[in-house]
Amino acid sequence: MIMGWGRAAGILLAAAAVFTVAGCGGDASAEAEPASVTDSARPAGPTLAEAERKYQDDLDALRVSGCPASCGRDIVEVYNNALLVRKLMRYDTTVRAGAYAEAYRLIDQVEKGFILRRGVDNETTRPQVLSPAYELSRWLKTHPAG
């Protein structure tokens, strides 16, 4: 009986992992056209402008301090903030369709780099996340949210 539950739990966890990974990234061109969403459907929490500021603040702090011996926690924070920015961009109805296509492309690269590093934090894995993260930072500075 226990083995049956363990197998069922394993299948559910695997399905959840596949669903989570498949739903987080994808082709930037497919995401270039945000779905029509009302402001009331926007999730509670920070605004897009606040999320962008948090993203910029975290990257600026990392830029100033550099990566200490281990900056895995900082990279996770940058990654999570990039995903939050993308999520909130999808709810922004004040911009023309496709306005965030370049940001989506860069966030997809941050996500891909994060997945490829497989939790390893060293000099060779950091650029996979941080290079597109810094490009996104520059893009956000020239295209700030309302």
Side-chain angles (χ1 to χ4, degrees), residues 105-136:
R105 184 187 70 76
L106 293 168
I107 294 168
D108 286 348
Q109 287 179 359
V110 168
E111 184 174 36
K112 181 180 177 184
F114 186 82
I115 292 168
L116 289 175
R117 65 187 278 278
R118 296 181 180 155
V120 175
D121 176 41
N122 61 39
E123 296 293 325
T124 59
T125 61
R126 291 174 189 158
Q128 297 171 351
V129 177
L130 295 178
S131 292
Y134 287 127
E135 284 183 57
L136 177 63

Side-chain angles (χ1 to χ4, degrees), residues 57-136:
D57 290 347
D58 285 348
L59 270 180
D60 288 344
L62 195 56
R63 206 178 273 127
V64 168
S65 68
C67 270
S70 173
C71 66
R73 180 177 284 174
D74 299 316
I75 288 176
V76 170
E77 186 76 15
V78 166
Y79 167 72
N80 286 333
N81 287 336
L83 295 184
L84 178 60
V85 166
R86 179 174 60 195
K87 178 180 178 179
L88 293 171
M89 283 178 169
R90 289 181 178 151
Y91 288 97
D92 187 358
T93 59
T94 64
V95 297
R96 64 175 170 67
Y100 293 131
E102 180 64 9
Y104 291 155
R105 184 187 70 76
L106 293 168
I107 294 168
D108 286 348
Q109 287 179 359
V110 168
E111 184 174 36
K112 181 180 177 184
F114 186 82
I115 292 168
L116 289 175
R117 65 187 278 278
R118 296 181 180 155
V120 175
D121 176 41
N122 61 39
E123 296 293 325
T124 59
T125 61
R126 291 174 189 158
Q128 297 171 351
V129 177
L130 295 178
S131 292
Y134 287 127
E135 284 183 57
L136 177 63

Side-chain angles (χ1 to χ4, degrees), residues 21-68:
V21 171
C24 289
D27 182 22
S29 62
E31 295 179 293
E33 301 292 327
S36 176
V37 180
T38 63
D39 286 334
S40 62
R42 190 182 81 71
T47 65
L48 177 55
E50 292 166 341
E52 285 183 12
R53 267 192 305 280
K54 174 74 171 129
Y55 179 82
Q56 297 289 18
D57 290 347
D58 285 348
L59 270 180
D60 288 344
L62 195 56
R63 206 178 273 127
V64 168
S65 68
C67 270

